[in-house]
Amino acid sequence: MLNSNFYQRDSSIGAFGNPLYDNLLSGTDAWLSLNYGIYGFNAGIRFDLFNNSNLHDPNIAYSAQGIGMWYITKELKKLKITGGYFYDQFATGITFRSYEDRGLGIDNAIQGIHLKYNLNDNWTIKAFTGKQKDLFSTYGPIIKGVNLEGMISISDSLQLSILPGISVVNRTLDKQ
């Protein structure tokens, strides 16, 4: 994925007084993802590039590049183990949600270990521990979570079911 921006100085709308509009005049955001699977292992890596980017702060030119995400996953019957960066959410995402929206500059993946175990066709338990991503590093606090969710059919003829679940998320506090 590649995004390029061209900045045009315009004092009537306030587009001046910062390097983007005064002398840089253009910026690029790019992401290259590579995924591979072999013998039940899946692995992926993503290279991120920001050159004079205004994606994270529209008033500051940001330039950096590096490995933005990587992961290794292995499925062992009903257990899926992921190490590296991962995205997930518990139920509707009220207690925990890590996701990516490149167009908005959001990438709050967790770097750590993620386990998912399918108890049966209707019930799943998930657990993780790690740190939240911050561009090319991570924030200090450790985040941990456990989630149990499933589906109970009430009426097959009416296709009525409930989706119960419970989750717990814990985050260590910063010293600041």
Side-chain angles (χ1 to χ4, degrees):
M1 183 175 175
L2 175 73
N3 293 329
S4 289
N5 297 302
F6 297 93
Y7 311 113
Q8 184 175 357
R9 183 181 163 91
D10 187 347
S11 59
S12 67
I13 62 169
F16 71 99
N18 73 49
L20 294 168
Y21 297 100
D22 290 343
N23 63 316
L24 297 175
L25 306 179
S26 67
T28 300
D29 311 309
W31 300 268
L32 174 66
S33 296
L34 300 170
N35 298 300
Y36 185 72
I38 188 169
Y39 300 117
F41 285 93
N42 291 302
I45 190 167
R46 188 184 73 218
F47 181 78
D48 296 357
L49 173 86
F50 304 100
N51 286 337
N52 300 330
S53 173
N54 71 341
L55 186 60
H56 301 100
D57 185 338
N59 297 311
I60 298 173
Y62 176 73
S63 293
Q65 66 272 338
I67 303 301
M69 191 269 298
W70 63 269
Y71 70 91
I72 298 172
T73 298
K74 175 68 176 169
E75 289 194 41
L76 304 164
K77 297 184 181 179
K78 295 181 174 187
L79 177 65
K80 181 178 179 181
I81 304 168
T82 301
Y85 290 91
F86 60 88
Y87 302 96
D88 195 6
Q89 76 178 35
F90 292 170
T92 60
I94 292 174
T95 56
F96 172 71
R97 183 177 191 198
S98 66
Y99 70 103
E100 171 191 34
D101 189 329
R102 292 180 193 165
L104 296 176
I106 297 171
D107 186 358
N108 60 4
I110 301 295
Q111 181 187 34
I113 300 291
H114 183 272
L115 305 172
K116 180 179 178 182
Y117 186 76
N118 294 320
L119 299 168
N120 56 39
D121 289 341
N122 294 327
W123 288 89
T124 302
I125 187 166
K126 298 187 270 187
F128 75 91
T129 185
K131 293 183 174 187
Q132 186 177 357
K133 182 179 190 301
D134 178 26
L135 291 174
F136 295 107
S137 63
T138 58
Y139 292 107
I142 305 292
I143 302 172
K144 302 165 279 297
V146 177
N147 174 248
L148 173 67
E149 58 188 48
M151 182 180 76
I152 299 171
S153 181
I154 296 173
S155 170
D156 289 335
S157 61
L158 297 175
Q159 295 183 344
L160 207 76
S161 58
I162 60 171
L163 306 170
I166 186 168
S167 61
V168 176
V169 177
N170 173 263
R171 175 185 169 269
T172 58
L173 299 177
D174 298 22
K175 290 183 179 182
Q176 302 167 343

